Amino acid sequence: MVKFSKELEAQLIPEWKEAFVNYCLLKKQIKKIKISRKPKPASLYPIAHHSDFGRSLFDPVRNLARTFSEKLFSSSEKPEIIQVRRRNSSENGDDVEEIYQTELVQLFSEEDEVVKLFFARLDEELNKVNQFHKSKETEFVGRGEILKKQLDILAELKQILSDRKKRNLSGSNSHRSFNSSARNSDFSAGSPGELSETQSETSRTDEIIEALERNGVNFINSATRTKTKGGKPKMSLRVDIPDAVAGADSGGARSIATATSVLWEELVNNPRSGGGDFITRKKIQCAEKMIRKAFVELYRGLGLLKTYSSLNMIAFTKILKKFDKVSGQQASSSYLKVVKRSQFTSSDKVVRLMDEVESIFTKHFANSDRKKAMKFLRPHQQKDSHMVTFFVGLFTGCFVSLFSIYIILAHLSGIFTSGAQVSYMETVYPVFSVFALLSLHMFMYGCNLFMWKSTRINYTFIFEFSPTTALRYRDAFLMGTTFMTAVVGAMVIHLILRAAGFSASQVDTIPGILLLIFICVLICPFDTFYRPTRFCFIRILRNIVCSPFYKVLMVDFFMADQLTSQIPLLRHLESTACYFMAQSFRTHEYNTCKNGRIYRELAYLISFSPYFWRAMQCIRRWWDESNTDHLVNMGKYVSAMVAAGVRITYARESTTLWLTAVLVSSVVATLYQLYWDFVKDWGLLNPKSKNPWLRDDLVLKNKNIYYLSIALNLVLRVAWIETIVRFRVNPVQSHLLDFLLASLEVIRRGHWNFYRVENEHLNNVGHFRAVKTVPLPFRDMDSDD
């Protein structure tokens, strides 16, 4: 049977771990009670220090009488051994908190200080659980009030859109007849079309204001609205939030989400242009999607809080039963009555709000189909498939076998030794290196997923992945092993066909065919081969390339960091593109691309691109968050761009001047990167930490792993030294060494990934962030503006 402590550890919410009852600490206190009671038998009454002094012949009789009376009156109410008092504590004068404090009515033993300490700890844990539950309950109730207000406004706007369409359809004929009669008349006051358009837009604005006022939004000076030069309504109004609604959210979130954001500006401040409606169905659908997502996240948070309550109740019950067993007393019943009356178990606001959210979601977002609504609110978690594990093992075995065959064939054909086979290393080998590096990166990502799951790091929440479609570590291993098997299989077929005497121009098209198949699988629109993951990958790449124009999320800059470690892969892609576009597989003139001016200049652009995209993300984050740390982080990528460009130039012009430039730029960039890796990304090297030069909170129990990881990251970061030393004998060994260094950088990045996400997870734990804050379409406007 699994111990409850391990079961609790496996089921608790990782981000709220510190807010749960400290079951292990209370168990240690019970062990201390057990140890303190071992030398002497348990007794409710103090006994004399000298066993031979003060004894009487009537003691056995008294003991017999006491035992008889206890059995006789066992069915009656027993005296309370402990007494739990509740008092109200108010720090601010407004927020009243209930504080529980236990007092011992009867002494358990002469060493009752241990018992007092146990109940003091128990009171602390109960108060902690109550206070956390109350704060989260208040926060979620406030969110619910905000979302209901959002939904009311959305319903009014949808009704306005529907009514306006009906009026437009009914009035289209009369409007055309009015225009035909107007063309036959002479008006000196202005165009009647413009007047009718202005009146129409003014009436629409009035409709919107009336709809919002019906939902409790008051507009100050709404009667004195001005107009633009064209006579169209112009509004610059303040929003007066009702006090009842503003006080609904005391959990730190924004008070109300009512009018003014991009959607509100489109609805009121920017009338239609070019004949299009300024309230469009697309904008309404976008707002509806945002509110629906917010309801799903609210329901998820309520479910987590409900789990929090039930697990803590079980923990208190278990620990009190252990205390009764050790002490020989029945104190659990008295204390459990208090626990059941406490806030986290007696409050029914969470359950009632969950029922209300289910009802609202079913009505407004699922067409009254409860089954459909629950698919959104309670998505089914993916179950591990034994077939995935089977195929991972199968493809791993195939990969090992094919790779062994490839090594033997390459040795027999003299690919890696004969100077006559240089064209193979210059043309075909870079194409296969692209797939090999990509497969290795996928394998490292699978290792990351496995470690994050093993250490209960909530990576799906950090990256904002959907729990129903998020890639699991078995899936990542399956994709990696399948890809590696296909690549090595193609390499074996390529060597066999070359040895069989087939035309080189035909055989050398195999890498191109493999690349074409990969692209087709990546963009395949059918729901197969992990379509959500593939489309998510494409969407993230789009966000990275267009970094300044998209809001930067965690998954975006995390993926951009991966690209900075795959610059050799991008350079190989450049060679591959040139290889097929210049038809080198027909002419076998590999110097066509290598000596081209455009090809040589593109090497700088490709080497700069990942660092440039990452720097643009830092600028966008600084613009959105006004945090200067992002500008400092941008400097790291700028220094890396300079170092990369200098190293490329030194590879072409090996002079003393460029050697000095390589040393200076690379040392500066490396020190910059190491500082940011250890201090900012990993959160380590804290001299005041209780774990020397690490951090206070560690996911891994063995601290030596962190020290080894620091050393490993340091060694792999200085791999650029090879560009100066140049351990190369011939072109074949040069390519193999480049591939080895590129593989080590991919391994370093996979190693870096674990500690980066671990640090982000610990930041969420420190702030108890377990539920996403979804932006809403209608936001409040500062009354001072």
Side-chain angles (χ1 to χ4, degrees), residues 129-167:
V129 170
N130 276 326
Q131 292 169 10
F132 180 81
H133 185 274
K134 184 178 180 180
S135 65
K136 286 298 176 182
E137 183 183 71
T138 305
E139 176 185 345
F140 291 141
V141 169
R143 285 194 186 189
E145 293 297 327
I146 291 173
L147 290 178
K148 285 189 287 186
K149 181 64 65 175
Q150 292 269 322
L151 199 59
D152 292 340
I153 296 173
L154 180 66
E156 292 285 355
L157 295 179
K158 291 173 71 175
Q159 185 62 40
I160 291 173
L161 180 64
S162 178
D163 294 342
R164 193 176 69 216
K165 284 190 174 182
K166 291 179 181 179
R167 288 198 300 269

Side-chain angles (χ1 to χ4, degrees), residues 235-523:
M235 298 188 61
S236 178
L237 307 176
R238 295 188 302 164
V239 181
D240 184 20
I241 306 301
D243 295 336
V245 179
D249 182 15
S250 60
R254 298 181 66 87
S255 57
I256 184 66
T258 32
T260 75
S261 90
V262 176
L263 185 56
W264 168 249
E265 291 174 0
E266 293 287 343
L267 293 176
V268 177
N269 294 335
N270 298 326
R272 66 179 187 176
S273 59
D277 291 330
F278 67 101
I279 300 179
T280 63
R281 182 173 296 276
K282 183 177 181 180
K283 294 171 184 174
I284 295 296
Q285 289 175 348
C286 181
E288 184 176 8
K289 184 178 180 180
M290 295 171 71
I291 297 174
R292 182 185 65 187
K293 187 176 180 181
F295 267 111
V296 171
E297 202 62 27
L298 172 62
Y299 190 83
R300 177 177 172 272
L302 293 171
L304 293 178
L305 193 57
K306 186 178 179 182
T307 302
Y308 173 83
S309 300
S310 61
L311 288 177
N312 279 298
M313 184 63 200
I314 296 172
F316 277 114
T317 304
K318 293 280 186 181
I319 205 67
L320 285 169
K321 288 183 177 179
K322 286 181 178 294
F323 173 79
D324 287 349
K325 183 178 180 181
V326 171
S327 64
Q329 305 299 327
Q330 298 297 322
S332 62
S333 58
S334 301
Y335 204 94
L336 279 176
K337 290 178 182 178
V338 177
V339 174
K340 291 179 180 179
R341 291 195 301 266
S342 62
Q343 200 273 343
F344 83 96
T345 53
S346 61
S347 178
D348 62 341
K349 291 182 181 180
V350 173
V351 177
R352 287 191 285 109
L353 185 56
M354 289 183 72
D355 294 338
E356 188 176 1
V357 170
E358 290 178 5
S359 177
I360 292 174
F361 199 92
T362 302
K363 178 181 178 181
H364 293 277
F365 302 105
N367 296 325
S368 300
D369 187 349
R370 179 175 174 79
K371 186 176 181 180
K372 179 181 178 181
M374 297 314 293
K375 288 183 179 179
F376 284 96
L377 296 176
R378 296 179 185 174
H380 295 289
Q381 298 290 336
Q382 299 184 70
K383 295 182 179 180
D384 293 333
S385 174
H386 296 291
M387 292 298 296
V388 175
T389 306
F390 168 76
F391 281 111
V392 169
L394 176 64
F395 286 121
T396 301
C398 293
F399 164 74
V400 173
S401 301
L402 289 173
F403 187 74
S404 301
I405 295 174
Y406 173 77
I407 295 296
I408 296 172
L409 291 177
H411 178 72
L412 293 176
S413 60
I415 291 274
F416 300 132
T417 56
S418 177
Q421 301 293 343
V422 174
S423 61
Y424 177 83
M425 300 300 298
E426 294 288 346
T427 56
V428 179
Y429 200 74
V431 183
F432 287 124
S433 297
V434 171
F435 298 106
L437 291 174
L438 193 60
S439 302
L440 178 61
H441 212 137
M442 180 61 68
F443 176 78
M444 293 302 300
Y445 182 64
C447 294
N448 290 147
L449 295 179
F450 174 76
M451 288 300 299
W452 291 333
K453 183 179 179 181
S454 301
T455 54
R456 303 211 66 224
I457 293 177
N458 195 356
Y459 65 91
T460 56
F461 173 73
I462 293 174
F463 292 131
E464 300 184 18
F465 291 155
S466 172
T468 58
T469 59
L471 202 67
R472 299 164 298 178
Y473 73 91
R474 287 187 177 90
D475 299 320
F477 284 144
L478 178 61
M479 294 172 65
T481 53
T482 303
F483 205 43
M484 287 188 292
T485 302
V487 171
V488 177
M491 295 171 70
V492 170
I493 294 174
H494 183 271
L495 287 181
I496 292 175
L497 294 180
R498 283 172 64 96
F502 281 84
S503 172
S505 60
Q506 296 177 352
V507 175
D508 288 347
T509 59
I510 292 178
I513 295 173
L514 185 64
L515 181 62
L516 184 62
I517 293 174
F518 170 75
I519 295 175
C520 292
V521 171
L522 181 63
I523 63 176

Side-chain angles (χ1 to χ4, degrees), residues 74-87:
S74 59
S75 59
S76 62
E77 184 178 356
K78 295 183 179 180
E80 295 291 340
I81 300 173
I82 62 172
Q83 186 174 3
V84 185
R85 300 182 183 276
R86 182 179 64 181
R87 59 185 178 86

